[in-house]
């Protein structure tokens, strides 16, 4: 994974006295920019889908030349970029330092809060090591640990080191005129909607989605890479697969990881068979992927509970990725629901219970951000971006990853559509049926039914399955050795924990050894124990995340 760090002692009057580190791989090398001369240090890292268009727009001789021209013409030039990126510019002539993340923030930037030094990095571990090497003070944030225990991920700029914060999506930080300034250069907003017919909405959705998908797959073609398409029983990844096939992108293979013989696997196999594609399947039977806690926390910095990626790291680490380009996923699709909202009206910012991985603790200690225009945007940025895209931090150790549903212009269009059109209007399902009806001929794993079936039948089946799942879990708590649960869903944590004694012993041992080593307040330790003692395995995994973070950064 590419990573960079920049350091400058602000007390020094010598502007040429600074330190930087840039570790890079040889993938997508023409998209990155590295310039070091008497005027600039520029690092632009990532995969830029529209770099060739911008070279033409600015009449530049090269991508490096285009970046300099864009910076000179507008300070927030990165708002024009599309793709996954972050970067830093040190303008020596103006004594100005500018660091930025992309619109969705999944390619993070961290900064150290100080008036004496400027320390910015794309990698939390690199920054942590730098602090230790240079004896720069830092302290543990118990608030971050409480946030993890209460929700299962960070909902703002907080990290586990009190002095280090994360740039939020669509933000930059500038040092100029002897002060730091945080700026928001881009934000989504679902308050300003447009009224258009379903037919027009379908046409615009399809146009935006195909453009977004084309940018991704064309980038693989540009470098001669083979594409990975994640496939599951969901609709979002299915749309990526069907549209890619429709547009003629055939140099690809499917990737699937789930409980074998489960509904997710069966439907993913049906999609692969229908589209005549090779599929690489990794079974998660037994849940042994949950024992990779230390490696996963090292890669996602503990900012989301560690098991969110389940077996993704396992299968990617087994691949020879030298000829592989982007892992194309369906993340952020939410086609079936159409929104993070529960109601068809915009509400004030609040935390929905269903977006908490753990619900043991009260949310009284958690500060809910007040800078989002409504609850939909709050949940989109926190549960969708900061949590949902956290797995990118892990995946990018092996491949670049993106989703057409993450495209800025596709998302802007989606939020322009009224909630009623997205929710009860099911505009995204209507798009599938109008443009890619063959994709609806395969069942949907979440409902175990077809898209066109009677909604009452879907609701009854869903209620029945949830009831069975609840009773199975309760039955195992009463008869832990005599009842074998049938695996439920893509990642059945309950099933794995109750049927795999090796995993169960590992989780318990990790907790017992880790909690003894933690030098934290009694209140925090009590909360860790309370969450771990829950009957739900996912609560135990959330508690282990906090213990693993302490072991990694503070033990």
């Amino acid at each position: 994974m590419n990573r960079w760090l920049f350091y400058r002692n602000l007390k020094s009057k010598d502007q040429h006295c600074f330190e930087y580190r840039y570790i890079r791989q040889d993938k997508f090398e023409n998209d990155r920019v590295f310039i070091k001369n008497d005027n600039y240090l520029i690092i632009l890292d990532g995969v830029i889908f529209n770099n060739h268009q911008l070279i033409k727009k600015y009449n530049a001789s090269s991508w490096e030349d285009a970046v300099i021209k864009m910076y000179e013409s507008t300070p927030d030039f990165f708002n024009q970029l599309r793709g996954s990126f972050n970067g830093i510019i040190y303008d020596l002539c103006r004594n100005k330092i500018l660091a930025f993340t992309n619109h969705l923030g999944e390619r993070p930037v961290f900064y150290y809060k100080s008036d004496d030094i400027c320390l910015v990095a794309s990698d939390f571990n690199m920054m942590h090591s730098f602090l230790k090497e240079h004896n720069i003070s830092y302290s543990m944030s118990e608030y971050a640990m409480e946030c993890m225990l209460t929700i299962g991920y960070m909902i703002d700029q907080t990290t586990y080191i009190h002095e280090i914060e994360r740039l939020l999506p669509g933000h930059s930080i500038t040092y100029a005129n002897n002060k730091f300034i945080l700026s928001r250069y881009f934000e989504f907003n679902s308050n300003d909607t447009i009224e258009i017919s379903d037919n027009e909405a379908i046409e615009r959705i399809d146009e935006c989605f195909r453009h977004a998908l084309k940018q991704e797959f064309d980038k693989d073609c540009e470098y001669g890479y083979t594409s990975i398409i994640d496939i599951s029983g969901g609709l979002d990844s299915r749309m990526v697969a069907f549209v890619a096939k429709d547009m003629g992108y055939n140099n690809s293979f499917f990737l699937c990881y789930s409980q074998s013989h489960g509904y997710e696997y069966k439907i993913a196999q049906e999609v692969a068979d229908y589209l005549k594609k090779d599929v690489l399947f990794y079974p998660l039977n037994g849940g042994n992927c949950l024992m990779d806690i230390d490696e996963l926390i090292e890669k996602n910095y503990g900012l989301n509970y560690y098991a969110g990626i389940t077996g993704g790291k396992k299968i990617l680490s087994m691949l020879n990725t030298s000829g592989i380009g982007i892992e194309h996923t369906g993340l952020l699709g939410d086609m079936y629901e159409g929104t993070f909202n529960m109601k068809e009206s915009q509400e004030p910012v609040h935390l929905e219970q269903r977006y908490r991985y753990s619900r043991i603790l009260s949310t009284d200690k958690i500060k809910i951000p007040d800078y989002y225009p409504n609850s939909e945007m709050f949940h989109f940025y926190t549960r969708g971006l900061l949590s949902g895209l956290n797995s990118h931090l892990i995946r990018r150790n092996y491949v670049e990853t993106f989703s057409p549903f993450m495209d800025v212009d596709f998302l802007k269009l989606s939020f322009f559509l009224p909630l009623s059109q997205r929710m009860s209007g099911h505009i995204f399902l209507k798009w599938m049926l109008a443009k890619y009806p063959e994709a609806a001929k395969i069942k949907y794993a979440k409902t175990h039914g077809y898209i066109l079936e009677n909604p009452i039948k879907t609701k009854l089946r869903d209620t029945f399955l949830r009831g069975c799942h609840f009773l199975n879990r309760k039955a195992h708590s009463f008869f832990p050795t005599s009842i074998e649960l049938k695996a439920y869903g893509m990642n059945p944590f309950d099933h794995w924990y109750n049927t795999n004694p090796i995993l169960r012993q590992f989780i318990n041992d990790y907790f017992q050894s880790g909690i003894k080593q933690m030098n934290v307040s009694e209140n925090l330790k009590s909360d860790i124990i309370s969450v771990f003692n829950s009957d739900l395995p996912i609560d135990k995994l959330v508690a282990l995340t906090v213990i693993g973070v302490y072991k990694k950064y503070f033990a």
Side-chain angles (χ1 to χ4, degrees):
M1 182 174 72
N2 301 338
R3 49 182 66 88
W4 53 262
L5 177 145
F6 175 87
Y7 168 77
R8 180 167 175 248
N9 186 338
L10 300 177
K11 292 182 178 180
S12 172
K13 295 182 180 181
D14 184 358
Q15 297 178 15
H16 291 81
C17 184
F18 62 91
E19 182 177 345
Y20 73 92
R21 301 174 184 179
Y22 186 25
I23 301 170
R24 47 190 168 168
Q25 300 173 330
D26 59 357
K27 302 283 284 289
F28 297 101
E29 62 273 12
N30 295 329
D31 285 34
R32 299 192 303 265
V33 170
F34 175 71
I35 300 170
K36 185 177 182 295
N37 55 37
D38 291 338
N39 299 321
Y40 299 109
L41 170 71
I42 299 178
I43 297 174
L44 172 59
D45 190 63
V47 179
I48 315 298
F49 298 140
N50 62 338
N51 57 335
H52 296 297
Q53 294 93 315
L54 290 170
I55 291 172
K56 292 180 181 178
K57 177 180 177 180
Y58 285 88
N59 194 27
S61 59
S62 65
W63 181 219
E64 290 80 2
D65 183 39
V67 169
I68 292 175
K69 287 184 174 181
M70 285 192 292
Y71 167 70
E72 292 288 353
S73 63
T74 174
D76 58 351
F77 72 91
F78 29 83
N79 195 15
Q80 302 177 63
L81 306 182
R82 292 293 181 266
S84 179
F85 61 87
N86 59 25
I88 186 165
I89 296 178
Y90 180 27
D91 186 335
L92 282 82
C93 299
R94 298 180 178 90
N95 191 26
K96 176 182 176 182
I97 302 166
L98 170 64
F100 52 90
T101 184
N102 65 330
H103 303 76
L104 304 186
E106 92 288 345
R107 208 173 191 102
V109 170
F110 303 94
Y111 60 95
Y112 183 86
K113 295 183 295 181
S114 170
D115 293 329
D116 299 327
I117 65 172
C118 178
L119 177 59
V120 189
S122 67
D123 184 273
F124 188 81
N125 296 329
M126 182 181 277
M127 181 174 277
H128 174 247
S129 298
F130 189 90
L131 295 178
K132 293 175 67 175
E133 290 171 17
H134 292 76
N135 294 316
I136 300 174
S137 63
Y138 65 93
S139 57
M140 182 181 69
S141 170
E142 288 203 358
Y143 173 76
M145 294 184 172
E146 290 287 2
C147 193
M148 172 56 61
L149 292 169
T150 306
I151 304 176
Y153 51 93
M154 302 298 117
I155 60 172
D156 56 19
Q157 69 276 11
T158 301
T159 74
Y160 292 98
I161 293 179
H162 178 72
E163 293 79 9
I164 297 177
E165 292 188 346
R166 176 182 182 174
L167 273 185
L168 290 174
H171 277 71
S172 64
I173 185 169
T174 304
Y175 175 79
N177 301 319
N178 299 315
K179 62 180 180 180
F180 286 99
I181 300 174
L182 274 172
S183 301
R184 188 173 198 171
Y185 68 87
F186 178 84
E187 64 178 312
F188 295 102
N189 192 332
S190 58
N191 279 340
D192 301 322
T193 58
I194 56 176
E195 298 290 339
I196 57 175
S197 68
D198 281 359
N199 287 338
E200 184 179 352
I202 288 168
E203 292 300 324
R204 292 177 66 172
I205 289 170
D206 194 53
E207 180 183 358
C208 269
F209 190 82
R210 291 175 75 91
H211 175 73
L213 188 140
K214 184 178 188 300
Q215 289 187 125
E216 288 184 40
F217 282 81
D218 278 356
K219 184 59 65 172
D220 283 339
C221 295
E222 177 184 336
Y223 288 90
Y225 294 146
T226 298
S227 303
I228 298 177
I229 301 177
D230 276 14
I231 195 72
S232 66
L235 301 179
D236 311 320
S237 61
R238 184 184 309 181
M239 287 304 291
V240 176
F242 269 83
V243 178
K245 180 76 172 181
D246 184 70
M247 296 181 69
Y249 294 106
N250 296 315
N251 184 23
S252 62
F253 65 92
F254 288 174
L255 195 67
C256 177
Y257 47 94
S258 71
Q259 179 78 9
S260 63
H261 309 300
Y263 223 59
E264 289 277 351
Y265 165 69
K266 291 178 181 177
I267 292 177
Q269 188 63 59
E270 283 186 46
V271 173
D273 291 345
Y274 190 94
L275 295 176
K276 304 295 188 294
K277 297 294 293 185
D278 294 331
V279 58
L280 182 60
F281 174 68
Y282 181 77
L284 303 183
N285 305 338
N288 294 320
C289 57
L290 302 183
M291 292 191 279
D292 294 340
I293 178 170
D294 292 331
E295 188 175 354
L296 290 170
I297 286 175
E298 181 179 12
K299 289 177 168 56
N300 85 339
Y301 321 132
L303 299 177
N304 191 79
Y305 89 106
Y306 80 93
I309 193 173
T310 60
K313 191 274 297 182
K314 281 278 192 185
I315 191 169
L316 289 174
S317 66
M318 295 177 181
L319 297 178
N320 177 359
T321 59
S322 59
I324 290 176
I326 297 170
E327 178 187 16
H328 305 270
T329 76
L331 286 172
L332 285 190
D334 300 302
M335 277 186 56
Y336 194 77
E337 293 83 3
T339 177
F340 282 89
N341 257 29
M342 298 286 287
K343 300 178 181 178
E344 289 191 0
S345 59
Q346 297 296 358
E347 299 178 296
V349 173
H350 66 281
L351 178 62
E352 289 282 359
Q353 293 299 301
R354 69 170 178 166
Y355 295 132
R356 297 173 62 190
Y357 291 115
S358 176
R359 305 174 190 175
I360 300 300
L361 302 180
S362 166
T363 59
D364 290 347
K365 298 177 183 178
I366 305 304
K367 306 166 190 172
I368 304 299
D370 59 2
Y371 40 77
Y372 294 106
N374 54 51
S375 188
E376 181 182 28
M377 287 295 93
F378 166 67
H379 289 114
F380 168 75
Y381 272 96
T382 55
R383 177 60 182 85
L385 302 188
L386 298 181
S387 173
L389 299 186
N390 177 271
S391 70
H392 284 213
L393 301 179
I394 301 169
R395 298 175 193 276
R396 273 202 304 273
N397 285 270
Y398 310 100
V399 293
E400 291 289 345
T401 183
F402 211 76
S403 162
F405 293 102
M406 291 169 55
D407 177 72
V408 172
D409 302 299
F410 181 85
L411 285 168
K412 285 166 65 176
L413 171 62
S414 299
F415 290 129
F416 275 142
L417 301 177
L419 275 172
S420 57
Q421 197 170 23
R422 289 186 275 141
M423 295 180 71
S424 61
H426 294 296
I427 190 62
F428 294 107
L429 298 184
K430 290 177 180 177
W431 163 52
M432 170 194 281
L433 294 169
K435 295 294 185 178
Y436 313 96
E438 64 275 17
K441 296 178 181 178
I442 302 171
K443 289 183 177 180
Y444 174 35
K446 186 172 181 178
T447 64
H448 287 222
Y450 295 99
I451 300 302
L452 288 175
E453 75 176 5
N454 190 313
I456 297 176
K457 182 178 179 181
T458 301
K459 183 68 175 177
L460 289 173
R461 185 193 303 110
D462 182 63
T463 302
F464 174 75
L465 291 171
R466 289 180 183 275
C468 290
H469 181 50
F470 175 79
L471 291 174
N472 277 337
R473 189 173 68 238
K474 288 299 181 184
H476 240 293
S477 66
F478 291 119
F479 309 104
T481 58
S482 60
I483 292 181
E484 172 109 5
L485 287 182
K486 183 179 180 181
Y488 179 93
M490 183 178 181
N491 306 303
F493 291 148
D494 296 353
H495 174 73
W496 294 338
Y497 183 80
N498 288 318
T499 60
N500 185 347
I502 296 176
L503 172 64
R504 194 162 58 245
Q505 188 66 49
F506 171 84
I507 289 174
N508 291 328
D509 288 348
Y510 195 96
F511 171 77
Q512 293 296 340
S513 63
I515 197 71
K516 294 176 183 177
Q517 300 175 21
M518 295 188 72
N519 181 21
V520 297
S521 70
E522 287 303 316
N523 286 337
L524 176 58
K525 184 170 289 190
S526 175
D527 285 344
I528 296 171
I529 294 171
S530 295
V531 173
F532 184 82
N533 286 339
S534 163
D535 291 335
L536 298 179
I538 193 170
D539 289 322
K540 299 180 187 296
L541 303 181
V542 168
L544 291 196
T545 302
V546 171
I547 291 175
V549 164
Y550 184 90
K551 175 182 175 183
K552 166 69 178 173
Y553 298 111
F554 307 105

